[in-house]
Amino acid sequence: MAVTLEEAPSLVWILVKALLRFAFMVANNVFAIPAYICYVIVLQPLRMLDSKLFWYIEGLMYKWLLGMVASWGWYAGYTVMEWGDDIKTISNDEAVMLVNHQATGDVCTLMMCLQDKGLVVAQMMWLMDHIFKYTNFGIVSLIHGDFFIRQGKLHRDQQLLLLKRHLENNYRNRDRKWIVLFPEGGFLRKRRETSQAFAKKNNLPFLTHVTLPRIGATKVILSALVARQENGSPAGGDAKELDSKSKGLQWIIDTTIAYPKAEPIDIQTWILGYRKPRVTHVHYRIFPIKDVPLETDDLSDWLYQRFIEKEDLLAHFYETGPEELLSSTLKTFPEGLRMSDLGSFTGSQFICSLILKQSPSFCQARPCVKCQGYRDE
């Protein structure tokens, strides 16, 4: 497509801005990641003396690093609007987030919207594709205790055994609370045809905006982390009466990410910022673990039903836009629509925060065009 003379200046500016943002990202990584690694090494004696305090400090540094990544999108105008159940009320309990997966930007989106949920990010464990192990952030995730899973039938059984062992050795020993899992096992564009063929063969619903979830990792997590009562039933929480003293995994958070016009953001866009500012919508539904079946067949049906509901939710969103959803949002969040808090945070600020023993500051959220004047507390 030919570029007109009028369009040339704007295209040049987009290119220059992308190069500047890329240089900024590199500078962030050069400062922040080595700083994180150095502090972890220096604090090894503390790990021997007080393991819980060590992992608490490591978790704070990890949260700041994820805040740095989230800030790249914020600078470009990529913000998040949250609606549904208020997950902040269960931030101190153990929970699993089941998230639909469309692109690499899903991870960045979650990094942004979970920053204001207390210590959730600091005490979180991610399950992600093994390819992320070889990125610049891979060493940080390895130290923190995230799990890298290899996809494919040839590796499936072995990976599930490794996941079970990883949870036993790292989850509670490092005081982890939340786990982020993408049950579809891959990006929507890569798995859609395979999922639809499987659905047709097994007389299951034909899904377009999500794919049928895989049960393996979810089954392993629930088996390893759900506390059992004497009668063998799960000892979970109640959505209306939270019990901070209850042990084990207590909640399933059904999380749906919706991008305007079904155009997901990838990591390249997040870093370079060459697309126009936009608001990504994230919907939450909280399920007490006692309401989730743990037997394989029943759990499969339960997971399928959640993703069928995601399909309906996304189809409605893409057809009508967020306007139709405002009434339900205002009912579930007492303060109205939430825009995730995130202020500027660079690699140099990360180092200064550690030296000065201060947490990085986050500015108030910008108001949504649909609720002018709203400010996050």
Side-chain angles (χ1 to χ4, degrees):
M1 181 177 179
V3 178
T4 64
L5 189 61
E6 292 78 10
E7 294 173 334
S10 61
L11 291 177
V12 171
W13 168 239
I14 290 174
L15 178 60
V16 171
K17 185 173 65 173
L19 292 174
L20 290 173
R21 287 178 58 86
F22 181 78
F24 178 71
M25 180 273 295
V26 172
N28 278 189
N29 281 282
V30 167
F31 278 103
I33 293 179
Y36 168 87
I37 296 171
C38 288
Y39 273 96
V40 168
I41 293 173
V42 170
L43 291 173
Q44 285 303 306
L46 177 61
R47 183 178 180 180
M48 304 296 180
L49 298 173
D50 191 337
S51 177
K52 185 173 182 179
L53 179 58
F54 170 83
W55 289 115
Y56 172 79
I57 296 174
E58 183 279 332
L60 288 180
M61 295 190 293
Y62 181 83
K63 178 181 178 180
W64 297 344
L65 279 176
L66 268 59
M68 178 188 74
V69 175
S71 72
W72 302 339
W74 178 265
Y75 293 145
Y78 306 142
T79 55
V80 176
M81 184 180 293
E82 300 169 275
W83 46 286
D85 294 335
D86 188 356
I87 61 174
K88 207 169 187 177
T89 60
I90 61 169
S91 60
N92 294 323
D93 299 330
E94 293 186 18
V96 174
M97 297 188 77
L98 303 180
V99 191
N100 62 312
H101 208 9
Q102 301 181 59
T104 48
D106 297 343
V107 175
C108 303
T109 297
L110 292 176
M111 288 180 180
M112 177 180 285
C113 61
L114 295 178
Q115 279 291 323
D116 69 335
K117 307 299 188 295
L119 291 175
V120 162
V121 176
Q123 297 176 311
M124 177 176 285
M125 178 182 290
W126 296 76
L127 270 64
M128 62 187 81
D129 193 277
H130 79 288
I131 195 66
F132 286 98
K133 184 189 298 185
Y134 307 105
T135 65
N136 58 322
F137 212 76
I139 182 64
V140 175
S141 292
L142 281 172
I143 294 173
H144 183 70
D146 297 328
F147 183 76
F148 300 95
I149 191 165
R150 186 182 294 271
Q151 305 293 342
K153 293 182 179 180
L154 295 177
H155 309 285
R156 188 171 300 165
D157 293 339
Q158 180 192 26
Q159 291 298 300
L160 294 178
L161 289 174
L162 291 174
L163 173 60
K164 182 176 183 296
R165 191 181 309 160
H166 183 84
L167 292 172
E168 293 171 349
N169 295 335
N170 296 287
Y171 182 77
R172 294 207 169 94
N173 289 345
R174 302 188 181 191
D175 196 27
R176 299 295 174 244
K177 295 290 187 180
W178 285 25
I179 295 178
V180 178
L181 174 65
F182 299 97
E184 292 164 293
F187 298 140
L188 174 63
R189 69 179 186 277
K190 293 183 177 181
R191 289 211 62 246
R192 180 156 38 202
E193 290 185 6
T194 303
S195 174
Q196 291 173 347
F198 178 83
K200 183 177 181 180
K201 181 179 179 181
N202 293 274
N203 196 28
L204 293 169
F206 187 88
L207 306 179
T208 302
H209 304 300
V210 296
T211 65
L212 291 170
R214 293 170 175 171
I215 189 176
T218 306
K219 175 67 175 177
V220 169
I221 292 170
L222 296 183
S223 299
L225 301 181
V226 172
R228 301 280 185 158
Q229 298 179 3
E230 293 182 359
N231 61 3
S233 61
D238 184 85
K240 297 180 180 179
E241 298 179 4
L242 304 182
D243 181 5
S244 60
K245 296 182 180 180
S246 58
K247 301 291 181 66
L249 190 67
Q250 295 173 256
W251 312 98
I252 299 290
I253 305 172
D254 180 25
T255 306
T256 305
I257 300 177
Y259 295 96
K261 300 180 181 178
E263 297 175 352
I265 297 175
D266 54 26
I267 188 65
Q268 300 95 312
T269 304
W270 194 267
I271 293 173
L272 301 178
Y274 51 80
R275 288 166 65 177
K276 293 181 179 179
R278 63 196 57 212
V279 178
T280 300
H281 295 257
V282 182
H283 178 262
Y284 307 111
R285 292 178 66 197
I286 300 174
F287 294 88
I289 200 66
K290 63 182 179 62
D291 294 340
V292 179
L294 301 183
E295 298 301 323
T296 301
D297 291 340
D298 293 337
L299 179 59
S300 296
D301 293 340
W302 188 88
L303 275 178
Y304 286 163
Q305 184 58 39
R306 301 289 76 77
F307 275 77
I308 292 170
E309 291 166 358
K310 286 179 185 289
E311 172 77 11
D312 294 337
L313 184 67
L314 289 169
H316 180 71
F317 175 84
Y318 296 142
E319 180 180 352
T320 65
E323 291 82 0
E324 295 290 329
L325 305 171
L326 289 176
S327 58
S328 62
T329 304
L330 293 171
K331 292 177 182 177
T332 51
F333 276 114
E335 69 273 39
L337 294 174
R338 295 183 61 86
M339 295 284 286
S340 292
D341 293 336
L342 190 64
S344 59
F345 182 50
T346 65
S348 58
Q349 286 175 306
F350 172 75
I351 297 175
C352 291
S353 298
L354 296 180
I355 294 174
L356 300 176
K357 299 181 180 180
Q358 295 177 350
S359 298
S361 60
F362 294 96
C363 70
Q364 289 183 317
R366 293 180 291 188
C368 170
V369 294
K370 292 297 179 183
C371 47
Q372 288 293 336
Y374 165 70
R375 286 283 185 178
D376 234 348
E377 295 180 354

